[in-house]
Amino acid sequence: ENIPNWVVGDSNNVLDTLDGGGYDMIFSCPPYADLEVYSELDGDISNMPYPTFLTAYDSIIKKSCDKLKSGGYAIFVVGEVRDKKGYYYGFVPDTYQCFKNAGLRLYNEAILSISLASAALRAAGNMKNKKLVKVHQNILIFKKP
């Protein structure tokens, strides 16, 4: 009886059309900025420069959290992303800040380990630039008061 309703579209627009206030949980593994570009469509945050991405990301998180009921959770799987010069954007702390802006607080966190075998395959390329190979992602669990 409890069948999911899949909605496809720009989250920043779709969220405006959903009923609010009654959801128990949000779960997302959002685009990691421009690490992988999913499309060239307008509204696809994966093809935006990081400052524009962050503004849209913050808006999507705020609109999503407005749909949560008190005591609800938002679970996001995120990892750091590098800019074109090789420096981290600070995507994980930016995610904390977006949720704080939306009125939620970090309640739990976990580490999702990535296969060490695939890390070994990526290591040679990373070490040319003196960069460590990432072997985890962050699972951030926020709670709405």
Side-chain angles (χ1 to χ4, degrees):
E1 293 178 26
N2 194 7
I3 299 171
N5 177 28
W6 296 101
V7 179
V8 178
D10 177 352
S11 298
N12 226 353
N13 296 326
V14 169
L15 285 162
D16 293 332
T17 68
L18 299 177
D19 294 333
Y23 296 92
D24 295 311
M25 187 180 78
I26 301 163
F27 179 82
S28 181
C29 183
Y32 289 16
D34 59 357
L35 182 64
E36 293 178 342
V37 174
Y38 298 146
S39 79
E40 296 300 324
L41 296 172
D42 288 340
D44 181 344
I45 64 175
S46 74
N47 67 30
M48 297 176 178
Y50 193 73
T52 308
F53 165 88
L54 194 55
T55 299
Y57 184 61
D58 185 70
S59 175
I60 292 165
I61 288 173
K62 171 79 170 87
K63 289 177 182 182
S64 297
C65 292
D66 284 347
K67 307 294 183 193
L68 276 177
K69 62 184 169 184
S70 181
Y73 294 91
I75 303 167
F76 270 47
V77 179
V78 295
E80 277 303 339
V81 186
R82 295 182 187 273
D83 66 18
K84 301 303 180 214
K85 294 181 180 178
Y87 296 97
Y88 283 129
Y89 285 121
F91 183 46
V92 174
D94 285 343
T95 299
Y96 289 151
Q97 188 59 51
C98 290
F99 277 97
K100 188 174 182 181
N101 294 346
L104 276 69
R105 304 274 311 275
L106 185 64
Y107 193 72
N108 276 310
E109 66 177 332
I111 298 298
L112 175 61
S113 295
I114 300 169
S115 170
L116 292 177
S118 68
L121 295 173
R122 293 179 281 134
N126 281 39
M127 289 301 156
K128 288 178 188 173
N129 297 311
K130 298 180 176 67
K131 295 177 189 158
L132 297 175
V133 177
K134 296 291 282 188
V135 293
H136 77 281
Q137 295 175 60
N138 304 70
I139 302 172
L140 307 176
I141 303 164
F142 300 88
K143 186 175 181 182
K144 186 171 185 174

